[in-house]
Amino acid sequence: MITTKSEYKKRLNEVDLYFNTIQLLDQGQCSVECRDISGSISTYVIDQELSKILKANGFLLLYNLIEATVRNSVVAILNSIVADKLSYRNLSENMKKLWVRQETKEIKDFNQSRDKIYEMSEKILNDSLLEFKEACVNISGNIDAQAIRDLAKQFGYTESTNGRHLQIVKEKRNKLAHGEFTFSEIGKEYTVKDLITLKTEVTNYIEDVLKNVEDFITDKKYQRV
C-alpha cells in the first residue's frame, strides 16, 4: 500500500502543478515568454483556442489519477494475499469467488472446462498457494464511482459514498480519447476554477477509497474469519 499511496501523491502533484499554472488563464490574456541562449526574448500569446485546449487536458490528468490509483489499489490487495501465502480455504468468501471467476474466465469448450475443473480441484484439495492476477477484476478505461463501488463489493472493502464528479471526468475523458469532441469543444465549457473544484471533489473521494483499501489490507479482511 506504500507504493500505491506514493504513486497517488506523484500523480496528484502533477495535477496540482498543472492546475496551478493554468489558473492564470481565468485572469485575462496570458502569454509565454522564452529567452534563448543569446538573450533574445520570444513571446507567444495564449489565445482563447489554446486556453480551451489547456483546460480540456485537465480531464486527462484527472482521469489518469483516478484509474492509476484504483488499479494500484487492486494490485496492493492482491500482493498482500500473495505475501500471506494463502490457499483457497484461508480466503474470504469474496476472494474465493474472485479466484473462481478468474480461473474460469477463459473457458471456451467442454474439454477445456473439464480440465480446468480438475486443475482447480487439485489446488483446493492440496491447499496450494493461489495466484491472483490483476485481470481478476475489470479495470478498462471506464472508472467512475459506480465502478469503484462494484470493486468494493467484489473484494469486500468499505464502499465510499458520493463521487458523482468522477462520472463527469470519465465522460469528458472518453469523449476526448474516442475523438467524439475536440479539446477546444470540451474546454470551452469550463473555467479553471471549475476544474479545481472538480479536482477537490475527485481527490477527496479517491483518498477515502485509499483509506478503505488500506484498512482492508491492514485488517486482512481478505482472509477467512
Side-chain angles (χ1 to χ4, degrees):
M1 197 62 192
I2 293 175
T3 301
T4 300
K5 292 167 74 174
S6 175
E7 286 296 317
Y8 168 74
K9 288 179 181 177
K10 184 191 301 182
R11 284 176 168 79
L12 180 58
N13 286 339
E14 289 180 353
V15 172
D16 286 339
L17 178 62
Y18 186 78
F19 283 4
N20 289 341
T21 300
I22 68 168
Q23 66 180 338
L24 294 172
L25 298 174
D26 281 353
Q27 299 177 22
Q29 188 177 70
C30 298
S31 61
V32 178
E33 184 177 281
C34 298
R35 186 187 301 272
D36 65 24
I37 194 169
S38 67
S40 299
I41 297 175
S42 301
T43 301
Y44 184 86
V45 175
I46 300 176
D47 61 17
Q48 288 189 350
E49 282 303 297
L50 180 54
S51 175
K52 295 172 189 174
I53 293 168
L54 291 171
K55 285 184 285 186
N57 195 55
F59 285 103
L60 301 185
L61 285 169
L62 283 174
Y63 187 81
N64 177 271
L65 174 72
I66 295 166
E67 182 168 321
T69 304
V70 171
R71 187 181 301 279
N72 289 336
S73 295
V74 168
V75 171
I77 293 171
L78 302 183
N79 285 346
S80 294
I81 294 172
V82 171
D84 284 350
K85 298 180 169 32
L86 300 179
S87 63
Y88 184 84
R89 73 172 67 239
N90 301 127
L91 292 173
S92 67
E93 291 303 311
N94 289 81
M95 296 311 302
K96 285 178 180 177
K97 291 175 183 177
L98 270 179
W99 181 75
V100 170
R101 187 182 309 147
Q102 168 188 279
E103 295 300 297
T104 58
K105 191 175 182 180
E106 303 301 324
I107 292 177
K108 295 182 174 63
D109 56 48
F110 175 76
N111 288 331
Q112 190 179 12
S113 174
R114 182 179 57 193
D115 293 341
K116 175 56 73 172
I117 290 172
Y118 175 79
E119 178 188 327
M120 292 170 64
S121 299
E122 285 292 294
K123 288 182 179 179
I124 293 171
L125 294 172
N126 294 325
D127 272 344
S128 301
L129 302 183
L130 299 186
E131 176 187 0
F132 279 90
K133 302 172 184 175
E134 186 183 318
C136 69
V137 291
N138 183 31
I139 304 173
S140 58
N142 281 294
I143 297 296
D144 56 17
Q146 183 57 54
I148 295 173
R149 282 192 288 272
D150 289 342
L151 286 175
K153 288 174 183 173
Q154 290 178 69
F155 282 101
Y157 60 82
T158 303
E159 295 179 35
S160 298
T161 58
N162 298 322
R164 65 185 184 279
H165 294 85
L166 275 71
Q167 177 73 19
I168 298 172
V169 174
K170 183 193 77 171
E171 289 178 353
K172 300 302 181 185
R173 176 264 182 189
N174 285 349
K175 289 182 185 301
L176 290 169
H178 300 149
E180 295 178 44
F181 289 89
T182 66
F183 278 71
S184 60
E185 286 172 330
I186 295 293
K188 72 180 181 180
E189 302 175 12
Y190 295 87
T191 64
V192 179
K193 184 178 179 181
D194 293 333
L195 294 175
I196 291 174
T197 299
L198 192 63
K199 183 210 73 170
T200 300
E201 297 293 336
V202 166
T203 54
N204 286 344
Y205 182 84
I206 291 298
E207 286 171 11
D208 189 60
V209 172
L210 282 173
K211 178 184 178 301
N212 292 337
V213 172
E214 185 171 34
D215 290 345
F216 179 79
I217 292 173
T218 300
D219 296 338
K220 298 184 182 296
K221 291 183 178 178
Y222 47 79
Q223 293 188 18
R224 186 181 68 178
V225 178

